[in-house]
Amino acid sequence: MYDDDTLVDGWMGRDWTPGSGNGSGADVLTQKECAFLSLPPELFFASELFQGQYVRRRTHVRDYPIQSTCTHRTLRYTGVRLDQFDQDVFLACAARFPAQKSSAPCARKMDLRDLTREVLKRAGVVDKRRVTESLRRLESGRIKIRDGRFTCYLQPIQKALFDDKAGYCLIELNPEILRSLQCVDNLQGFVQERFRLPKESMDRWLHGVMHYSDHICIPFAGLPALSGNANAVPIRVAESLDRLSLSVRRYRLRLGEGGLEISRNTRADGEGRCGV
């Protein structure tokens, strides 16, 4: 039905860009609207949207306030709570997409067995079911983002079409979220590095925070709520940092006097200070 590299255009069309249109002005985004839709990746990584744990019993929430380090956006979530396994699945999908240069959504065909093997290192019947269930959670969840003026409603996966006979799935990711992930170079390298880490939920949550945060300091008292993991106490975080330091060398990361301090090597000359 589809070639391996098939891209399916969304309702805006592949060549749609802010400011283009039919001349009527109805579909033209202003600079302020474009700025709002340039979503900071901290909303998705330095937050509790994807909880820093692997959840066994899923809960359904409605209009749940998500904590994040992004102070100029508020985020609320409706759906089944997401965890680091769901982030694994989402990132494995995102790494298969080409550079997203506009707000035009596109879909990509994926072999469900290959996707499952990348996420779980195996691809049995139960494993594929777990990945499929995660894709459905990502498709059914709704994110509400506000900045005081604008409000935007998103879902991580906009469409998920499954061919049970052929073993393929056609996935359409939200273009704004995808562009947010691609704002840092080498998304594929980041995802590959993530999957080489131990399958420890806090390790992977911290890895995402480090990759997508230029300079951040999180007070100890705020770590459990921000990460969505009640066990994110200093001693456990220190253990995660020790494991990460064996494989992640591009970042300076440490537990400071007041909390968790993370900055890129290129900005390591600044001293981080944790607030209360």
Side-chain angles (χ1 to χ4, degrees):
M1 184 175 178
Y2 302 101
D3 293 330
D4 286 343
D5 295 326
T6 297
L7 297 179
V8 182
D9 295 332
W11 63 272
M12 292 184 191
R14 281 184 68 182
D15 297 326
W16 185 92
T17 56
S20 67
N22 57 14
S24 66
D27 56 354
V28 176
L29 294 180
T30 67
Q31 287 186 342
K32 290 183 178 179
E33 290 167 344
C34 290
F36 172 74
L37 288 175
S38 297
L39 302 175
E42 289 86 354
L43 283 171
F44 313 110
F45 288 95
S47 79
E48 59 168 328
L49 178 62
F50 293 97
Q51 300 170 87
Q53 58 180 315
Y54 295 116
V55 178
R56 291 184 179 273
R57 306 186 80 180
R58 301 278 177 173
T59 59
H60 191 285
V61 295
R62 182 176 180 82
D63 208 30
Y64 178 83
I66 297 291
Q67 292 201 41
S68 81
T69 60
C70 184
T71 58
H72 58 289
R73 296 283 202 284
T74 61
L75 187 153
R76 290 180 175 268
Y77 178 77
T78 296
V80 179
R81 288 299 307 274
L82 305 173
D83 66 0
Q84 286 299 292
F85 178 73
D86 298 309
Q87 192 168 75
D88 285 343
V89 173
F90 187 77
L91 288 172
C93 291
R96 286 167 163 76
F97 277 73
Q100 184 74 26
K101 297 181 180 179
S102 76
S103 290
C106 65
R108 198 163 186 86
K109 184 182 103 172
M110 302 179 192
D111 185 303
L112 190 57
R113 181 181 294 274
D114 289 345
L115 183 66
T116 301
R117 187 175 290 111
E118 179 175 4
V119 174
L120 292 172
K121 311 303 181 187
R122 56 187 185 274
V125 174
V126 174
D127 305 312
K128 286 192 290 184
R129 185 183 304 126
R130 287 185 62 196
V131 170
T132 299
E133 290 171 351
S134 177
L135 292 170
R136 288 171 177 163
R137 285 193 294 272
L138 290 162
E139 190 277 332
S140 62
R142 297 296 183 271
I143 301 171
K144 176 182 178 182
I145 301 174
R146 297 195 61 178
D147 73 345
R149 174 178 177 177
F150 297 110
T151 303
C152 183
Y153 297 87
L154 306 173
Q155 58 193 112
I157 291 180
Q158 297 190 157
K159 293 178 185 175
L161 172 65
F162 297 93
D163 185 333
D164 296 330
K165 183 176 181 180
Y168 286 97
C169 55
L170 190 71
I171 300 298
E172 180 180 286
L173 298 186
N174 179 275
E176 274 72 37
I177 295 179
L178 184 57
R179 282 198 293 174
S180 179
L181 300 185
Q182 293 174 342
C183 73
V184 175
D185 292 336
N186 196 11
L187 173 62
Q188 289 80 8
F190 161 67
V191 174
Q192 291 170 7
E193 186 177 74
R194 175 185 175 92
F195 286 136
R196 288 196 297 268
L197 296 174
K199 199 166 185 179
E200 296 284 345
S201 56
M202 276 304 297
D203 294 21
R204 297 196 173 194
W205 185 85
L206 287 168
H207 180 249
V209 173
M210 289 186 292
H211 190 83
Y212 282 103
S213 299
D214 285 340
H215 193 182
I216 189 171
C217 189
I218 307 170
F220 290 133
L223 271 170
L226 180 65
S227 66
N229 185 338
N231 292 321
V233 295
I235 188 171
R236 295 288 181 85
V237 175
E239 292 170 354
S240 288
L241 294 182
D242 287 342
R243 287 190 295 267
L244 283 171
S245 65
L246 298 176
S247 56
V248 178
R249 305 188 184 281
R250 289 178 295 169
Y251 307 97
R252 179 175 66 85
L253 54 151
R254 68 187 183 94
L255 289 180
E257 187 174 327
L260 175 67
E261 299 177 6
I262 303 171
S263 65
R264 293 187 184 279
N265 280 338
T266 56
R267 303 189 182 183
D269 55 333
E271 287 298 326
R273 294 182 180 177
C274 284
V276 178

